[in-house]
Amino acid sequence: MSELVPGGNLPLPGGSLILRVPGPFDVSALITGGEGRVGSDGDFVFYNQPAAPGVRLRGDTLTVEPALLRPGAVRVTVAVSAAEPDTPLGRLPASELQVTDPRGRTLARFTPPRPQRETVLLLAEIYRRGTGWKLRAIGQGYADGLAGLARDFGVDVAEDRPGPTAPAHRPTVPEQRSARHAPRPPSPQPPAPRPPAPQPPAPRPPSARLPAPAAVPASDPEGFLDLVNSARAGAGSLPVTLDARLVSAARAHAAAMAADGRLGGESRDGTSVHQRITAAGYAYATVGEHLVSGPRTPAEFIAYCLRTEQARRTLQDPAFTQAGLAHVTGGRTGDTYWTALWARPLAAGDLDRTRTEVVELTNAQRRRAGLPPLAVDPLLTAAAQAHSADMVAHDFYSHTAPGGSQPWDRAAAAGSARRTIGENIACGQRSPAEVVDGWMNSPGHRANILEPGFTHIGVGFAGGGRAGTYWTQLFGA
């Protein structure tokens, strides 16, 4: 294990890396090419855009898989900022970067000099050197905030220009996934541009589907379930049952990792573990996963999960009611690769309850700010739900749909006559509380939630896709 100092570097082993910064911090990452600039806004990974090819953020932990980075990417720069927006890092405890491999072995630690007035700290970078990768400690304070950092790396940061005649904004960073005050053009309208190309029909949103089928029992010849439920009982969580669809998805993903010779949420063909779950016919209200290599038996696998806080929380999460486990040995390395999936199926009423909770949490934030609550608008709800489902079905994450439609277009298509429309989207969050908390910690999203002029709201949620969950808030006035 190496203790790094600013400027120090370390050759990295092959495979994925786990980077963790415990404490009251937000972790972010910027993926750049040889010119030091991002290829698109999607190369900025932060609390409300927690995934990009080869990089995934969950809580205080960043997983980087260099071999899965987008083509042309040669560097991942890791930064931290205060979890409480605009707080100087000098007011907080010193940050510490902990770097481990997927088996939990510590590769390096880096405790940078504590900044003073700076609100962002460039912590380290993972960079290509020849055919391998290295880690370099940086420890440089940055005074312009997360948006300034993003701008300097080439992320498109638009300025807010509210008002009834303002043009539609591109998503901004860190407000990157909030479309703010985007009104439909007032009448009379200028000549309409050529309409966008027709989109393929979007699937019916989950609210229009039949209730999820009952659990499909799965056999358990290795006694996995008893081990899991014993560990859950120790935390006061109810037992889970095995579901054959989750087992099938877990087996497919474990086999893909063994064939690739590496751990990862996506296989070389771009298929994510969440896409395998939905392909198996399992619609979920919430989902979690463990991707591990090394243990030889289910008992060793459970022991591994119980050793680290984040893995233990997933294993013992009371929200999960069903599970699936598979392991495959072989491939190029001869290692054993494990996939454990945890979920609660999407039952009748779950979608309405999820959307209601998001609205209640949103209105609680408005009440704290002395603002009136937002009323639920069925037309905005339909548009928001369709967009979440569309992001899953067509594998994108943006305010702009593949056919070119914007939030206000979708609201109008659903029949809404509201003239001012705003939208927040997010992906990867596992609960209404987590997604609303993320939005409130992002200036642009927070501005939408606390906009005094908004009077109505619609919420959409869909499980699946690369990120696992996709959320939409559509505001209207």
Side-chain angles (χ1 to χ4, degrees):
M1 191 271 289
S2 297
E3 292 282 355
L4 296 178
V5 297
N9 61 72
L10 175 73
L12 295 170
S16 61
L17 298 166
I18 314 299
L19 297 93
R20 181 170 180 255
V21 185
F25 305 105
D26 283 331
V27 182
S28 55
L30 291 132
I31 303 158
T32 54
E35 73 291 346
R37 307 280 284 179
V38 298
S40 70
D41 289 357
D43 282 345
F44 183 31
V45 175
F46 67 115
Y47 44 75
N48 221 47
Q49 182 170 277
V55 180
R56 181 174 178 84
L57 174 65
R58 183 168 298 164
D60 62 6
T61 302
L62 193 72
T63 301
V64 179
E65 301 175 68
L68 296 183
L69 295 173
R70 64 164 175 82
V74 299
R75 192 178 307 271
V76 178
T77 302
V78 181
V80 293
S81 55
E84 185 66 27
D86 302 322
T87 300
L89 291 172
R91 297 181 186 173
L92 302 178
S95 59
E96 180 188 72
L97 174 67
Q98 304 168 359
V99 184
T100 61
D101 67 13
R103 298 182 183 180
R105 294 178 297 195
T106 301
L107 302 177
R109 286 197 183 95
F110 174 48
T111 303
R114 180 188 267 179
Q116 296 302 314
R117 299 181 180 179
E118 294 91 341
T119 57
V120 175
L121 180 66
L122 296 181
L123 205 52
E125 59 184 9
I126 297 165
Y127 63 100
R128 186 192 296 274
R129 176 57 57 90
T131 58
W133 292 81
K134 300 183 79 173
L135 172 74
R136 178 186 290 121
I138 301 176
Q140 176 185 340
Y142 199 94
D144 286 347
L146 205 55
L149 173 68
R151 184 186 295 109
D152 286 353
F153 275 77
V155 179
D156 184 19
V157 180
E159 298 297 329
D160 259 351
R161 293 164 295 187
T165 60
H169 297 167
R170 288 171 293 180
T172 59
V173 177
E175 302 86 359
Q176 178 167 354
R177 291 297 180 258
S178 63
R180 179 122 198 282
H181 280 181
R184 292 178 289 156
S187 299
Q189 299 182 33
R194 186 173 57 181
Q199 300 182 55
R204 289 183 298 170
S207 57
R209 296 178 183 153
L210 294 175
V216 180
S219 61
D220 184 22
E222 296 182 284
F224 168 67
L225 201 59
D226 288 342
L227 295 168
V228 167
N229 287 331
S230 175
R232 288 175 64 84
S237 298
L238 294 174
V240 295
T241 59
L242 286 181
D243 184 274
R245 295 161 298 181
L246 293 177
V247 172
S248 173
R251 186 178 298 117
H253 198 73
M257 290 194 297
D260 292 345
R262 73 160 85 90
L263 293 171
E266 294 182 14
S267 53
R268 286 188 184 274
D269 65 1
T271 304
S272 77
V273 65
H274 305 107
Q275 289 169 320
R276 298 187 197 280
I277 296 171
T278 52
Y282 191 100
Y284 53 80
T286 188
V287 68
E289 71 281 334
H290 285 117
L291 307 177
V292 177
S293 67
R296 293 163 297 176
T297 66
E300 289 184 7
F301 172 81
I302 297 300
Y304 169 85
C305 292
L306 291 174
R307 282 202 299 270
T308 61
E309 181 182 357
Q310 185 172 354
R312 184 170 61 251
R313 282 203 311 263
T314 299
L315 173 68
Q316 298 175 336
D317 193 328
F320 299 133
T321 61
Q322 295 178 346
L325 176 79
H327 57 96
V328 174
T329 302
R332 295 176 299 173
T333 64
D335 290 336
T336 300
Y337 291 84
W338 298 75
T339 299
L341 301 176
W342 316 89
R344 188 180 83 244
L346 187 70
D350 275 351
L351 181 58
D352 286 341
R353 281 190 289 272
T354 297
R355 293 191 295 216
T356 297
E357 189 171 348
V358 171
V359 172
E360 290 174 346
L361 290 168
T362 298
N363 281 333
Q365 295 293 341
R366 288 177 64 88
R367 282 193 297 272
R368 291 190 187 101
L371 297 170
L374 301 171
V376 174
D377 183 319
L379 299 179
L380 294 180
T381 299
Q385 183 60 43
H387 190 56
S388 288
D390 198 27
M391 287 190 286
V392 170
H394 297 113
D395 193 20
F396 73 98
Y397 176 58
S398 174
H399 292 293
T400 304
S405 69
Q406 299 286 343
W408 42 97
D409 300 320
R410 295 188 288 271
S416 174
R418 302 190 184 282
R419 296 193 59 80
T420 303
I421 294 293
E423 182 178 80
N424 287 342
I425 60 175
C427 65
Q429 293 80 6
R430 303 298 170 88
S431 69
E434 185 180 344
V435 74
V436 173
D437 184 63
W439 279 326
M440 287 299 295
N441 281 308
S442 166
H445 301 91
R446 179 186 180 94
N448 271 347
I449 288 173
L450 301 183
E451 167 54 46
F454 286 140
T455 57
H456 290 75
I457 188 174
V459 173
F461 166 80
R466 294 182 189 276
T469 56
Y470 291 80
W471 306 79
T472 303
Q473 280 183 318
L474 201 56
F475 304 92

